[in-house]
Amino acid sequence: MLRIAGRSTFERSSTLRIPLGSREDGSEDTITARLGAFPLNVTDYMGARLPEPIAPKRPMLDEQRRPVRDQGRPVYHEDLNDPAYLAAKNHHGHVMSVALFLEVLDDPEWQFATPRPPDTIANSDPAWRAYYEGVYGELVAAEFPAVAVIHIGREIKRLAGITDRTLEEESARFLPARGGTEPNVISAG
């Protein structure tokens, strides 16, 4: 069993305030969600559960609009400006925000009709995409504000940044092997 400084668990929770817009009296309408700890390996499995869309491949053209060839074979490039791809990428971003939110949501007040698949199924199982898309669809049907989904995505990515982008920076701050002088505490801000 893992034990570090006498502890075997390191769960923590926080509350996320989600803006829904302004009320008629000018005050801000908000709801809250209690969030649990971010799984350390979330980036490992979320890519398999909800893969990003792939840009279509198009033949590369020269100045005369003829296909470019390399050793007799056409050369292709990803069309990152394809309208269908851009729409799919935008949709994926919204669904991923909701999916990451669902992974850390620890609040009985938030209930969805779409059933969560068992955690025992493979991360590549299509049931995960169906679940995340289903909950996203429920939010859209309930006219959950787009600004709230964007806020959730921004906050979840900020919280997840501790395990992705800033881990190296934080490690350098407090690990003696990297010249750090800070106490062994990772800050969230």
Side-chain angles (χ1 to χ4, degrees), residues 113-126:
T114 305
R116 181 179 174 87
D119 288 324
T120 55
I121 67 170
N123 287 325
S124 58
D125 192 301

Side-chain angles (χ1 to χ4, degrees), residues 101-118:
F101 175 65
L102 292 171
E103 291 305 303
V104 295
L105 182 63
D106 185 22
D107 194 326
E109 294 294 316
W110 288 71
Q111 297 179 15
F112 301 98
T114 305
R116 181 179 174 87

Side-chain angles (χ1 to χ4, degrees), residues 15 38 58 86 110-111 118 123 127 155 183-184:
T15 301
F38 231 97
R58 306 262 190 248
L86 292 173
W110 288 71
Q111 297 179 15
N123 287 325
E155 287 300 302
N184 285 345

Side-chain angles (χ1 to χ4, degrees), residues 108-155:
E109 294 294 316
W110 288 71
Q111 297 179 15
F112 301 98
T114 305
R116 181 179 174 87
D119 288 324
T120 55
I121 67 170
N123 287 325
S124 58
D125 192 301
W128 286 112
R129 177 179 285 283
Y131 168 61
Y132 298 132
E133 291 277 359
V135 171
Y136 179 76
E138 288 182 51
L139 292 171
V140 169
E143 298 181 1
F144 195 76
V147 70
V149 172
I150 291 167
H151 178 78
I152 288 170
R154 202 176 289 139
E155 287 300 302

Side-chain angles (χ1 to χ4, degrees), residues 33-172:
R34 191 175 71 235
L35 306 179
F38 231 97
L40 186 60
N41 63 341
V42 72
T43 56
D44 295 341
Y45 64 81
M46 286 308 291
R49 288 184 180 180
L50 199 58
E52 288 190 43
I54 299 170
K57 299 222 183 255
R58 306 262 190 248
M60 190 174 280
L61 303 176
D62 65 15
E63 299 83 32
Q64 284 83 34
R65 311 272 311 144
R66 294 179 306 208
V68 173
R69 296 191 170 282
D70 181 23
Q71 298 181 1
R73 287 186 232 136
V75 176
Y76 292 91
H77 71 95
E78 291 183 330
D79 184 358
L80 301 177
N81 294 315
D82 178 74
Y85 167 71
L86 292 173
K89 189 174 176 181
N90 185 50
H91 176 75
H92 177 268
H94 290 297
V95 175
M96 182 60 85
S97 293
V98 170
L100 289 169
F101 175 65
L102 292 171
E103 291 305 303
V104 295
L105 182 63
D106 185 22
D107 194 326
E109 294 294 316
W110 288 71
Q111 297 179 15
F112 301 98
T114 305
R116 181 179 174 87
D119 288 324
T120 55
I121 67 170
N123 287 325
S124 58
D125 192 301
W128 286 112
R129 177 179 285 283
Y131 168 61
Y132 298 132
E133 291 277 359
V135 171
Y136 179 76
E138 288 182 51
L139 292 171
V140 169
E143 298 181 1
F144 195 76
V147 70
V149 172
I150 291 167
H151 178 78
I152 288 170
R154 202 176 289 139
E155 287 300 302
I156 294 298
K157 288 171 186 163
R158 182 184 66 78
L159 291 171
I162 258 320
T163 59
D164 289 341
R165 288 186 314 268
T166 60
L167 187 58
E168 249 336 281
E169 295 168 12
E170 291 290 336
S171 295

